Amino acid sequence: MKTAQNFNSYQSVCYVSSQQKINTHENDSDCLILLDQTKLPFEVEYVSLYDVDSICEAITKMVVRGAPAIGIAAAYAVTLDCQRLLETTDLNLIKEKLRFSSAKLRKTRPTAVNLMWALDRMNKIINSSKKETAQELYLELLLEAKNIFEEDLETNKAIGKFGAELVPEGASIIHHCNTGGLATSGYGTALGIIRSAFESGKQIQVYLDETRPRLQGSFLSAWELEQLGIPYAVIVDSASGFVMKTKGIDMCFVGCDRVTSSGYVANKIGTYNLAIIAKAHNVPFYVAAPLSTIDRSIKLGQEIEIEYRSGEEISKVGGKWMTLDSVTCLNPAFDVTPPELITGFVTEKGVVYPPYEDNLRALFHNN
Amino acid sequence: MKTAQNFNSYQSVCYVSSQQKINTHENDSDCLILLDQTKLPFEVEYVSLYDVDSICEAITKMVVRGAPAIGIAAAYAVTLDCQRLLETTDLNLIKEKLRFSSAKLRKTRPTAVNLMWALDRMNKIINSSKKETAQELYLELLLEAKNIFEEDLETNKAIGKFGAELVPEGASIIHHCNTGGLATSGYGTALGIIRSAFESGKQIQVYLDETRPRLQGSFLSAWELEQLGIPYAVIVDSASGFVMKTKGIDMCFVGCDRVTSSGYVANKIGTYNLAIIAKAHNVPFYVAAPLSTIDRSIKLGQEIEIEYRSGEEISKVGGKWMTLDSVTCLNPAFDVTPPELITGFVTEKGVVYPPYEDNLRALFHNN
């Protein structure tokens, strides 16, 4: 399918509706194209997905990853599902099926809240739509999914702008995991800040945590910074203290999968360690947080469900056994960083400082 | 060569003198047999080395690793060198050549002090020996090298005994890198404590930092604990905070490559991070330190030379490219942990608590 040109190389999720397709031998349905992030940086390969089940599998297997990108993929999955039901005349039956698909998508990964947030937006359309035909409902859902995508891009750029103001000329920065175009609609959150600072002409040096076990730092973030021409060096995750001590680090930027109302942050395993190490060296620690990652329904870190993934992610690297397959591994995919370790949240509405409970709440009330 | 039976599986260094050899078609010289630690855990393979140059290469490439094991290998290398010079009649020329070999060995790895300490002991023999023949000098050096080996084994067992007393029944322990039989003469320092606690009948659970970049935790320590039947789980290095927060960790045990007179500890990269994380969770952090790792000639951490190794150790795993070879990496092999993060040093003379400057000094005066 000749649809890869729809992408720029930082875009991991692209919806192609049937009317956009020009190649006659293509399948007649809409499809979701994902840049297969399990193959990067070795191969730039796209997969075309046509139904909810294959998208659920792609999310679980991390073909698409990054909290915002997962949310966008799930919203498009619901749209895709509706398009497959256009022949059905009973609109209530369609809505029932869409709610079922939405529930299935919701279960793919438990920690990131953008997934739930995007599906809530889609469900709201499903539940409240006044449209009388399947075609109209489909177009309404497609518009909402596209809005989620476009708003994410705007959000990223606003976060980039606010965050870049925090970055001094000549700054050295530590970054964890991947929060770039690949993890989002196409610009990035924490890496978007770094990109924005660089594009505004600041000389910066980035140290990328390689981010075990899945090496999003050396596989994905290094690949993005390489293409953007931003100076970087990959370090092992456990070298952050040494690097802060010896290289004069000015700040850390990380993304997040979920923020509670009082400022606890669930993010990729290792974020909590990095925040403790930063505190010990008086290095400011900023979390890039779109409002869509703030889960106001919970307050404390322990309320966040932490996903445990297969131990094979530790004992295998890039699909190859790195040690004996008999080795026992414990593989929590996320950890929780408490608010007292966080200098500020960079949101699309500006930088939020403590006290977080009040100041995060205010974000939702001052429109 | 049928000399592998000289080993038990936890012994990484074995010297075989020519008179021990029974197989007539064997080379007639002494040799040093190393368990090739770059091949573990996939292959248990031994290499036989006959000269200083090949032993220097084996140390540099980490065929043999672990501060005590490196010291033992270097001491035997000097002995081996002397055996090759038995035909030389000029004893001063022999001593000159041995000092030259010793200097070459000293340069292989800069951070671990056991290497320098073992070579100092060999040099002392070279410089002060009253022997009148090459054969006698050779036997004197062989005896000293064997003493270094045997003393290390006794030291390990004493550290194991003192350390095990610190371990409560049912303890959960985090361990970094590999400090077991493979890193020493055959029992282990920090892993020796864990082994000793387990052998005394205590139920324990060990969490092994995988220890990037070279994965000594999942390659070597997991292999040793598997064979000893000690319950363990490998974690990524950056999960230590999460594990302390959620699994009730009682203590951390690590080894060391060099300890200054005031208690700064150079050890495998990631030790400093782990010590900060332990402090933040009020988890006791113990360093297993044979007296041979204490470098009384320096006081502060910044006086320790930190070895930087090739970035390929990060971008390759087990010899295979794990990411693009164009990726820029920064790879410090060690870091320095300050004394205020260390609960105690477990030495062969007992556990040493602060103030370290006085209490470490006392170890050398109370014989």
Side-chain angles (χ1 to χ4, degrees):
Chain A
M1 185 182 287
K2 302 251 177 265
T3 34
Q5 70 263 30
N6 295 64
F7 278 97
N8 66 55
S9 58
Y10 305 112
Q11 193 179 327
S12 53
V13 187
C14 178
Y15 190 85
V16 183
S17 59
S18 48
Q19 58 265 40
Q20 288 178 274
K21 295 187 181 179
I22 42 168
N23 211 331
T24 49
H25 64 267
E26 283 176 5
N27 185 317
D28 206 28
S29 317
D30 291 6
C31 81
L32 185 68
I33 306 182
L34 299 177
L35 174 52
D36 187 346
Q37 297 192 49
T38 66
K39 302 249 167 91
L40 282 174
F42 308 101
E43 292 166 49
V44 178
E45 205 174 293
Y46 300 89
V47 291
S48 302
L49 304 175
Y50 291 87
D51 56 53
V52 167
D53 283 345
S54 60
I55 296 169
C56 283
E57 196 187 342
I59 295 173
T60 308
K61 291 193 171 167
M62 298 175 67
V63 171
V64 60
R65 48 146 293 286
I70 291 172
I72 293 164
Y76 279 133
V78 173
T79 310
L80 211 56
D81 206 43
C82 187
Q83 202 234 14
R84 289 166 60 90
L85 296 167
L86 290 183
E87 306 297 307
T88 309
T89 47
D90 182 347
L91 213 54
N92 283 329
L93 183 63
I94 293 177
K95 290 181 176 180
E96 198 54 47
K97 286 188 173 177
L98 293 179
R99 277 188 285 262
F100 181 78
S101 293
S102 174
K104 200 184 276 185
L105 284 157
R106 191 178 286 265
K107 284 183 195 145
T108 50
R109 299 201 68 191
T111 306
V113 79
N114 301 56
L115 176 65
M116 324 310 169
W117 169 87
L119 289 169
D120 285 346
R121 280 180 64 165
M122 299 307 279
N123 282 350
K124 201 166 170 185
I125 303 284
I126 296 166
N127 294 334
S128 66
S129 175
K130 300 282 181 271
K131 305 295 182 189
E132 290 178 357
T133 69
Q135 177 68 22
E136 286 174 323
L137 177 62
Y138 155 69
L139 289 174
E140 199 178 0
L141 289 170
L142 180 57
L143 183 64
E144 185 68 354
K146 282 186 173 167
N147 283 342
I148 290 173
F149 180 95
E150 292 297 338
E151 286 166 28
D152 186 63
L153 201 56
E154 279 171 39
T155 294
N156 282 194
K157 291 192 171 162
I159 288 173
K161 185 178 76 69
F162 288 119
E165 291 167 11
L166 301 167
V167 179
E169 167 62 28
S172 289
I173 299 165
I174 294 183
H175 174 268
H176 192 68
C177 198
N178 173 263
T179 63
L182 294 170
T184 63
S185 54
Y187 190 81
T189 55
L191 270 191
I193 293 171
I194 287 167
R195 183 175 174 174
S196 173
F198 180 77
E199 286 170 353
S200 75
K202 288 175 184 158
Q203 295 290 323
I204 53 174
Q205 168 68 39
V206 185
Y207 293 92
L208 295 172
D209 270 357
E210 62 169 357
T211 317
R212 285 282 289 150
R214 292 189 65 117
L215 297 170
Q216 288 94 337
S218 53
F219 280 14
L220 306 179
S221 296
W223 184 77
E224 291 197 46
L225 293 195
E226 191 82 53
Q227 294 192 52
L228 294 165
I230 300 175
Y232 74 90
V234 172
I235 57 172
V236 297
D237 304 323
S238 72
S240 50
F242 179 81
V243 169
M244 286 186 202
K245 197 88 178 175
T246 59
K247 303 287 173 190
I249 297 298
D250 296 281
M251 57 222 316
C252 300
F253 286 115
V254 301
C256 57
D257 289 78
R258 191 185 299 218
V259 180
T260 72
S261 63
S262 62
Y264 286 85
V265 171
N267 192 43
K268 182 55 53 203
I269 190 75
T271 305
Y272 176 44
N273 272 24
L274 183 62
I276 295 170
I277 303 295
K279 187 79 161 189
H281 293 87
N282 289 317
V283 170
F285 187 88
Y286 292 100
V287 177
L291 265 60
S292 58
T293 57
I294 301 173
D295 181 359
R296 298 162 71 204
S297 74
I298 56 174
K299 184 174 172 182
L300 297 177
Q302 67 234 41
E303 297 174 66
I304 303 172
E305 181 184 349
I306 295 296
E307 177 185 6
Y308 281 81
R309 294 180 62 87
S310 164
E312 287 190 10
E313 289 192 341
I314 296 177
S315 47
K316 278 182 177 175
V317 178
K320 295 171 221 153
W321 286 108
M322 281 300 101
T323 185
L324 299 181
D325 59 2
S326 60
V327 164
T328 308
C329 299
L330 182 77
N331 185 22
F334 300 91
D335 57 27
V336 176
T337 302
E340 59 270 23
L341 298 177
I342 297 164
T343 309
F345 288 90
V346 186
T347 79
E348 63 268 42
K349 291 193 174 178
V351 185
V352 176
Y353 295 100
Y356 290 127
E357 189 146 15
D358 292 343
N359 293 346
L360 288 174
R361 190 193 307 114
L363 289 174
F364 294 88
H365 295 148
N366 306 330
N367 279 306
Chain B
M1 184 181 288
K2 302 255 177 264
T3 34
Q5 69 265 25
N6 294 63
F7 279 97
N8 66 54
S9 58
Y10 305 112
Q11 193 179 328
S12 53
V13 187
C14 178
Y15 190 84
V16 184
S17 60
S18 48
Q19 58 265 42
Q20 289 178 274
K21 294 187 181 177
I22 42 166
N23 212 330
T24 50
H25 63 268
E26 283 176 5
N27 185 318
D28 206 27
S29 318
D30 291 5
C31 81
L32 185 69
I33 306 182
L34 299 177
L35 174 52
D36 187 346
Q37 297 193 47
T38 66
K39 301 250 167 91
L40 282 174
F42 308 101
E43 291 165 49
V44 179
E45 206 174 293
Y46 300 90
V47 290
S48 303
L49 305 174
Y50 291 86
D51 56 53
V52 167
D53 284 345
S54 59
I55 295 169
C56 283
E57 196 187 340
I59 294 173
T60 308
K61 291 193 171 167
M62 297 175 69
V63 170
V64 60
R65 48 146 293 284
I70 291 172
I72 293 164
Y76 279 132
V78 174
T79 310
L80 210 56
D81 206 42
C82 187
Q83 203 235 13
R84 290 166 59 90
L85 298 166
L86 290 184
E87 306 296 310
T88 310
T89 48
D90 181 347
L91 214 55
N92 283 330
L93 183 64
I94 293 177
K95 289 181 177 180
E96 198 54 48
K97 286 189 173 174
L98 293 178
R99 278 188 285 263
F100 181 78
S101 293
S102 174
K104 201 185 274 185
L105 284 157
R106 190 179 285 266
K107 284 183 195 144
T108 50
R109 298 200 69 191
T111 305
V113 78
N114 301 56
L115 176 64
M116 324 311 169
W117 169 87
L119 289 169
D120 284 347
R121 283 181 61 166
M122 300 307 280
N123 282 351
K124 203 167 170 185
I125 302 284
I126 296 165
N127 294 335
S128 66
S129 175
K130 300 281 179 270
K131 305 294 183 190
E132 289 177 359
T133 69
Q135 178 68 23
E136 286 174 322
L137 177 62
Y138 155 69
L139 289 174
E140 200 179 358
L141 289 170
L142 180 57
L143 183 66
E144 185 68 354
K146 282 186 174 167
N147 282 342
I148 290 174
F149 180 95
E150 293 297 338
E151 287 166 27
D152 186 63
L153 200 56
E154 278 170 40
T155 294
N156 283 193
K157 290 193 171 159
I159 288 173
K161 185 178 77 69
F162 288 120
E165 290 166 11
L166 301 168
V167 179
E169 167 60 28
S172 289
I173 300 165
I174 295 183
H175 174 267
H176 192 68
C177 198
N178 173 263
T179 62
L182 294 170
T184 62
S185 54
Y187 190 81
T189 55
L191 269 191
I193 293 171
I194 288 167
R195 184 175 173 174
S196 173
F198 180 76
E199 285 169 354
S200 75
K202 287 174 183 160
Q203 295 290 323
I204 53 174
Q205 167 68 39
V206 185
Y207 293 92
L208 295 172
D209 270 357
E210 62 169 358
T211 317
R212 285 283 289 150
R214 291 189 66 116
L215 297 170
Q216 289 93 337
S218 53
F219 280 14
L220 306 178
S221 296
W223 185 76
E224 291 197 46
L225 294 195
E226 190 82 52
Q227 294 191 51
L228 293 165
I230 301 175
Y232 74 90
V234 172
I235 57 172
V236 296
D237 305 323
S238 73
S240 51
F242 180 80
V243 169
M244 286 185 203
K245 196 89 179 175
T246 60
K247 304 286 173 190
I249 297 298
D250 295 282
M251 58 223 316
C252 300
F253 285 114
V254 301
C256 57
D257 289 78
R258 191 185 298 218
V259 180
T260 72
S261 63
S262 62
Y264 287 85
V265 170
N267 192 44
K268 182 55 51 205
I269 190 75
T271 304
Y272 176 45
N273 271 23
L274 184 62
I276 295 170
I277 304 295
K279 186 80 160 187
H281 293 87
N282 290 316
V283 170
F285 186 88
Y286 292 100
V287 177
L291 265 59
S292 59
T293 57
I294 302 173
D295 181 357
R296 298 163 71 205
S297 74
I298 57 174
K299 183 173 172 181
L300 297 177
Q302 66 235 41
E303 297 175 65
I304 303 173
E305 181 185 348
I306 295 296
E307 176 185 6
Y308 281 82
R309 294 180 61 88
S310 163
E312 287 189 9
E313 290 192 341
I314 296 177
S315 48
K316 278 182 176 174
V317 179
K320 296 171 217 150
W321 286 108
M322 281 300 101
T323 186
L324 299 181
D325 59 1
S326 59
V327 164
T328 308
C329 298
L330 183 76
N331 185 22
F334 301 91
D335 57 27
V336 176
T337 302
E340 60 269 24
L341 297 177
I342 296 164
T343 309
F345 288 90
V346 187
T347 78
E348 64 268 41
K349 292 194 175 177
V351 184
V352 176
Y353 295 100
Y356 290 127
E357 190 146 16
D358 292 343
N359 294 344
L360 289 174
R361 191 193 306 114
L363 289 173
F364 294 87
H365 295 148
N366 305 331
N367 277 308

